[in-house]
Amino acid sequence: MGFSQKHLLGIEHLRPDEITDILDLADQYVDLNRRDVKHADALTGLTQINMFFENSTRTQASFELAGKRLGADVMNMAMQASSIKKGETLIDTAMTLNAMHPDLLVVRHPHSGAVDLLSQKVNCAVLNAGDGKHEHPTQALLDALTIRRAKGRLHRLNVAICGDVAHSRVARSNLILLGKMENRVRLVGPPTLVPAQFAEFGAEIYEDMTEGLKDVDVVMMLRLQRERMDGGFIPSEREYYHRYGLDAEKLAHAKPDAIVMHPGPMNRGVEIDGEIADDINRSVIQEQVEMGVAVRMAAMDLLARNVRAERINTAVEV
Ligand code: NCD
């Protein structure tokens, strides 16, 4: 059927075959990224602008590297220092940038839905790099690629997503993706952090880590997102670590070959024991970062093909 998207706003808009297309192309970019010379020309001549209205280390660096390796002109807008501070609206900023003819706009914003709104106002491809508690599609895709490479498949797996699900766009995008690819997802955490309505996504909810991790293939830990909490979601970090922090004892309930994932940034000793995070036999956290660059290259490559095709069609119509 082919990859037909104009933007990458959320996993909710992707068909399973489109997810597979992105991952297959990303596999090729993993090989390229392991060579000495890491250049391809899929984005040559195109302009990519990164607009991050929230702090980011790995996601922004990953998108920047992905664009550069594919030959795009990449610009990072320092949004903290920009006109936003002077009261300009998100849409005004987007319109200004639009006048500079970007081809790809990568946007992270603290409000759910902001990236979607922006995509309606510009005439280039927009990639959501995380919007509030809503979606973080490239994170779910890089997680999927990591799982597929480690487990040899991306279906019929038991995956436990643990911790602060309520505030996590990573959890939401992963839940949707893993469901679309026919995996069984469990959400594990205290009721304050795993609201019952998440069952709507077809996930099973567990309050107890030892039960929740029993015989799973993948253990995905989430950061406790303090900046999005406005009250007492947990008694104390110590108590939280005791009940929900991933350590060797809790991990022993998962399958012996279960992999451990974390999107980063990690709070060692809060949601995960540092030794587990660094255990190269169990943890694939570094692979996730590596897959991130490849997945972003693949997503931007596929979107750029559609941008170019649409422009050719419009030119023909004129
Ligand atoms: C995540 C995010 O920003 O949503 N991090 C990331 O993109 N690597 C998860 C988090 O902040 O905990």
Side-chain angles (χ1 to χ4, degrees), residues 150-151 217 251 255-261 275-287:
K151 294 279 147 206
D217 302 284
L251 183 59
K255 284 202 184 136
D257 62 351
I259 54 169
V260 173
M261 308 178 76
E275 275 184 36
I276 296 282
D278 297 334
D279 180 351
I280 54 164
N281 295 315
R282 306 307 294 271
S283 163
V284 293
I285 296 171
Q286 295 305 319
E287 278 87 338

Side-chain angles (χ1 to χ4, degrees), residues 90-247:
L90 165 71
I91 301 303
D92 284 336
T93 308
M95 297 301 281
T96 305
L97 290 178
N98 196 41
M100 298 179 192
H101 297 289
D103 303 286
L104 297 149
L105 214 47
V106 179
V107 188
R108 169 170 286 192
H109 199 278
H111 296 149
S112 305
V115 183
D116 208 318
L117 182 69
L118 194 143
S119 73
Q120 297 163 27
K121 308 284 177 190
V122 295
N123 44 27
C124 64
V126 175
L127 291 100
N128 182 1
D131 65 323
K133 296 188 274 187
H134 179 227
E135 280 231 38
H136 190 351
T138 56
Q139 179 71 45
L141 288 162
L142 76 88
D143 289 338
L145 185 61
T146 308
I147 295 172
R148 195 174 82 167
R149 290 171 70 101
K151 294 279 147 206
R153 66 180 201 275
L154 188 60
H155 57 272
R156 291 176 180 273
L157 292 167
N158 284 307
V159 181
I161 304 180
C162 312
D164 189 359
V165 173
H167 301 101
S168 178
R169 52 198 175 206
V170 174
R172 225 171 155 277
S173 288
N174 264 302
L175 197 47
I176 299 170
L177 188 151
L178 292 166
K180 284 193 186 204
M181 305 312 277
E182 294 177 13
N183 298 282
R184 288 180 68 170
V185 183
R186 302 173 180 186
L187 299 175
V188 192
T192 45
L193 297 180
V194 185
Q197 67 259 32
F198 274 88
E200 282 169 23
F201 289 95
E204 294 165 47
I205 296 182
Y206 290 80
E207 214 177 310
D208 181 81
M209 278 288 268
T210 51
E211 283 172 35
L213 295 191
K214 196 169 182 320
D215 296 329
V216 296
D217 302 284
V218 177
V219 183
M220 195 180 285
M221 301 308 298
L222 299 171
R223 181 173 67 90
L224 207 50
Q225 308 212 2
R226 289 277 192 191
E227 77 278 16
R228 298 188 206 282
M229 295 183 192
D230 52 8
F233 282 86
I234 55 158
S236 72
E237 283 186 359
R238 224 177 125 210
E239 168 77 7
Y240 183 80
Y241 181 67
H242 176 67
R243 292 197 60 190
Y244 295 104
L246 185 68
D247 55 16

